[in-house]
């Protein structure tokens, strides 16, 4: 009877342990996915900043050209 109780307890502990392992693995996967998404967002943000900088430079050049044309006209 004591042996049977120990086996039941052992099986319950094993089941709980396995459930915890599955939960931890799922959580790790979710965190990896979130990390990948954040990395992608960061990369896109950097690209957008570079595009904005380039646009600003081109806009300034265009403005300077327009101002020179007005000056000479």
């Amino acid at each position: 009877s004591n042996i049977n109780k120990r086996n039941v307890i052992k099986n319950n502990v094993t089941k709980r342990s396995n459930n915890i392992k599955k939960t931890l693995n799922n959580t790790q996967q979710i965190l990896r996915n979130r990390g990948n998404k954040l990395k992608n967002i960061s990369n896109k943000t950097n690209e957008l900043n570079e595009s904005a900088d380039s646009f600003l430079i081109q806009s300034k050049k265009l403005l300077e050209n327009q101002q020179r044309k007005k000056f000479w006209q």
Side-chain angles (χ1 to χ4, degrees), residues 47-62:
E47 290 174 9
L48 185 59
N49 281 331
E50 290 172 6
S51 293
D53 289 343
S54 177
F55 180 78
L56 179 62
I57 291 168
Q58 293 300 321
S59 297
K60 286 181 179 180
K61 287 180 182 178
L62 179 62

Side-chain angles (χ1 to χ4, degrees), residues 1-47:
S1 178
N2 280 341
I3 293 174
N4 193 25
K5 286 181 184 179
R6 286 183 195 156
N7 286 337
V8 168
I9 291 171
K10 182 180 176 185
N11 287 338
N12 285 339
V13 169
T14 301
K15 286 178 186 177
R16 287 182 182 177
S17 175
N18 288 337
N19 285 337
I20 290 170
K21 287 177 187 177
K22 286 179 187 177
T23 301
L24 288 174
N25 286 335
N26 288 340
T27 302
Q28 287 175 335
Q29 185 60 44
I30 289 167
L31 289 173
R32 274 192 295 273
N33 289 343
R34 178 178 279 182
N36 289 336
K37 287 178 183 178
L38 289 173
K39 185 177 180 180
N40 288 338
I41 289 170
S42 177
N43 289 340
K44 288 178 182 179
T45 300
N46 289 336
E47 290 174 9

